[in-house]
Amino acid sequence: MGSTQTNTTDRSFAKRKIRVLVVDDSASVRKALCDIIASDADLEVMATASDPYVAAERIRQEIPDVILLDIEMPRMDGLTFMRKIMAQRPIPVVICSSLTEEGSETTIKALEAGAVDVVSKPRMNTAEFLQESRMRICDVLRAAAHSRLSSRARAVVPVRIEARHTADVILPPVIPGRATAPLTDPIICIGASTGGTEALRDILVALPAATPGIVIVQHMPEKFTAAFAKRLDSLCAMSIREAAEGDAVLPGTVLVAPGNHHMVLERAGRQYRVAIKDGPPVSRHRPSVDVLFRSAAQAAGPNAVGVILTGMGDDGARGLLEMKAAGARTIAQDEESSIVFGMPKEAIQRGAANKVLPLDRIAHEMVHEARRGRGAA
């Protein structure tokens, strides 16, 4: 398949609303989603469809800016339909899925096949949950409409960093007159949102097993983060799992913040552990990149590397600036390689990034910077 890209940032949404095609077999879910979309001044429902065949007819009549797509539907499932769209006429797709283990695994396959992001179906049990669902769905639809969309499903082609200098990866350089071991282990903190699932995959498949411990906040609903971590673990040399309360952050280990919970980094001797916290959204998100980065600034200081990847909004920009002020080395993904250049742009504009790099250089650079860690006391 070709490598042509459709840059939807070229579309002008300044004079019109973003048009959304809602595809779901449940009439009540379609109505709830339509009500949510209608509540946002930037969005409008172009049409609705009860299954992919009806959706295809709607698309023949008018091209939407974004498709909000269910996975489990009669006659044709959403994943098959999305693959047909990506092969014939790429349109940004946001998956709207139930919070089930089976649905989560299928949703991860959809993200790998080209879906821009995933949202959970609206929660209507309380006004608070409904408001959070509304905010998340509308934010993701806006981000998808402004995304750079690849028209090809990307195969996993690991380009690993050479691991023959394993000791150098784990330990900072030896300085004459000082102890040969650092006072704390180096640690890498990564934040991402829309487009981040594939960006993280590209980075993590390139890393050797001996890479310093990594903690990640990827904006995803609960249940999906476990399936996402499991999929990455099957592809990468490092051990990757959804974080749990008190997990140690060890070399060769990647911890992904669980959906709907904040993750905080804490000092534990010369190592670190994570705490999983409830609480309101921060910077419009839970988990929040700002929460993780701010805790890393306090717990790890100059022995941390902070990386902010593709995503809409400003979550992580303030936290990355705090990490930089504490002596951490900080990296932002560049505009050209970002699906949505929102979070990195905010960080760059605030002076929070030491370096701005394309995605294919970030894995090497963050390991190099971690190797240079100064061993915070």
Side-chain angles (χ1 to χ4, degrees):
M1 300 179 71
S3 58
T4 305
Q5 287 191 328
T6 300
N7 186 347
T8 58
T9 56
D10 291 337
R11 301 175 181 175
S12 173
F13 300 115
K15 297 181 180 178
R16 64 171 177 81
K17 294 184 177 183
I18 295 167
R19 299 167 299 181
V20 183
L21 171 60
V22 178
V23 187
D24 196 293
D25 64 316
S26 168
S28 62
V29 171
R30 290 198 303 274
K31 182 180 186 307
L33 292 172
C34 288
D35 289 345
I36 287 171
I37 292 167
S39 72
D40 192 290
D42 296 330
L43 307 172
E44 68 177 0
V45 177
M46 184 199 84
T48 64
S50 57
D51 65 42
Y53 290 94
V54 177
E57 182 60 33
R58 300 283 188 269
I59 293 171
R60 278 192 285 269
Q61 297 170 5
E62 184 179 1
I63 303 298
D65 298 311
V66 185
I67 300 174
L68 187 55
L69 180 65
D70 186 18
I71 287 289
E72 299 178 2
M73 289 181 290
R75 298 209 289 172
M76 182 188 295
D77 64 89
L79 179 58
T80 300
F81 178 56
M82 196 200 74
R83 285 173 171 159
K84 291 178 180 294
I85 292 172
M86 293 304 169
Q88 298 174 21
R89 202 228 186 265
I91 300 169
V93 173
V94 172
I95 299 298
C96 187
S97 181
S98 300
L99 299 176
T100 64
E101 183 175 349
E102 182 179 352
S104 298
E105 292 175 356
T106 305
T107 296
I108 299 305
K109 293 179 182 178
L111 290 168
E112 292 178 343
V116 176
D117 213 331
V118 55
V119 296
S120 56
K121 292 195 176 182
R123 304 179 182 193
M124 303 178 194
N125 50 334
T126 70
E128 179 184 358
F129 280 148
L130 182 58
Q131 171 61 17
E132 288 184 11
S133 294
R134 188 202 71 78
M135 182 173 65
R136 166 74 178 166
I137 290 169
C138 293
D139 284 351
V140 168
L141 289 173
R142 281 193 297 272
H146 292 86
S147 65
R148 288 183 172 85
L149 182 62
S150 174
S151 62
R152 60 187 177 91
R154 297 163 54 198
V156 179
V157 184
V159 181
R160 300 193 184 280
I161 297 172
E162 291 294 330
R164 58 178 177 269
H165 302 302
T166 299
D168 288 338
V169 172
I170 298 175
L171 302 177
V174 176
I175 300 175
R178 291 186 58 184
T180 57
L183 295 176
T184 57
D185 290 336
I187 188 168
I188 298 169
C189 306
I190 305 177
S193 188
T194 304
T197 55
E198 294 305 282
L200 286 167
R201 184 184 71 173
D202 286 355
I203 289 172
L204 295 175
V205 296
L207 301 177
T211 300
I214 298 175
V215 286
I216 293 173
V217 165
Q218 164 69 49
H219 295 156
M220 294 182 83
E222 60 183 314
K223 305 293 185 182
F224 297 104
T225 44
F228 175 55
K230 181 179 179 181
R231 176 58 175 160
L232 289 175
D233 185 64
S234 73
L235 300 173
C236 302
M238 299 185 75
S239 173
I240 304 172
R241 65 180 185 273
E242 184 183 65
E245 175 68 25
D247 276 351
V249 187
L250 302 173
T253 299
V254 180
L255 299 178
V256 179
N260 203 38
H261 297 277
H262 295 301
M263 183 167 69
V264 173
L265 187 69
E266 297 178 342
R267 182 79 172 266
R270 60 166 285 176
Q271 296 177 335
Y272 307 97
R273 64 188 175 203
V274 296
I276 307 303
K277 306 286 188 181
D278 291 323
V282 175
S283 302
R284 298 176 70 87
H285 294 283
R286 184 178 59 233
S288 166
V289 182
D290 270 329
V291 169
L292 175 63
F293 282 1
R294 287 169 175 171
S295 68
Q298 297 172 8
N303 219 28
V305 175
V307 182
I308 192 163
L309 301 175
T310 173
M312 192 168 186
D314 63 359
D315 187 27
R318 287 182 291 273
L320 195 70
L321 185 59
E322 290 185 25
M323 288 187 70
K324 182 182 177 184
R329 280 82 62 217
T330 57
I331 300 168
Q333 186 176 353
D334 72 356
E335 181 174 8
E336 183 63 27
S337 66
S338 294
I339 297 296
V340 179
F341 190 55
M343 288 161 47
K345 180 181 179 181
E346 287 289 335
I348 294 165
Q349 290 181 339
R350 297 178 193 213
N354 294 124
K355 296 182 179 180
V356 179
L357 299 173
L359 181 62
D360 60 6
R361 290 181 53 194
I362 289 177
H364 177 273
E365 190 64 27
M366 73 184 196
V367 171
H368 172 72
E369 292 293 348
R371 185 176 63 217
R372 294 176 55 231
R374 292 193 284 273

